Amino acid sequence: MGRSCCCGGWVEHMRKAGYTIRVVPTDDLAPVKARLGVPEALWSCHTTVVDGKVIEGHVPAAAVNAFLKSPGASRGIGVGGMPTGSPGMEAPGYAPDRYDVMTFGEGAPARFMTFVGADPA
């Protein structure tokens, strides 16, 4: 996981949602992402593994909860880049972005949920 403050904001968001997070500072996440099968289009600043499933980037806790209840065959979910307003990317004075949380694994990534900031759209 990266060391930037946005990652710490995401960790705090997840802890408030009841998750226990162990941070492993890593200087080069590319090999980790490749090993875990995260499509490059979804790469972000941190990668997490929960119950054997991969969570990439600033995914809101609501999406993590929903995904872990019914993951199907997907390897994981992710948010590419760092959308404004997503957990850890809050920017006072700026409107939150609308963005998709995508599933990935077999086949092309597919939309799982859409959010505006940390709230489902």
Side-chain angles (χ1 to χ4, degrees), residues 52-77:
K53 296 295 184 175
V54 181
I55 311 300
E56 177 68 17
H58 292 270
V59 177
V64 175
N65 294 340
F67 176 70
L68 293 177
K69 286 179 184 165
S70 183
S74 298
R75 176 182 279 289
I77 55 175

Side-chain angles (χ1 to χ4, degrees), residues 5 9-10 12 16 20-21 27 40 46 52 66 69 78 90 93 106 108-110 116:
C5 62
W10 182 83
E12 187 59 29
K16 285 180 182 174
T20 300
I21 305 287
D27 289 328
E40 282 192 42
H46 59 267
K69 286 179 184 165
E90 296 86 357
E106 296 296 319
V116 175

Side-chain angles (χ1 to χ4, degrees), residues 28-40 43 47 54 56 75 104:
D28 185 7
L29 278 173
V32 174
K33 295 173 189 304
R35 178 175 51 81
L36 293 173
V38 180
E40 282 192 42
W43 285 14
T47 304
V54 181
E56 177 68 17
R75 176 182 279 289
F104 61 88

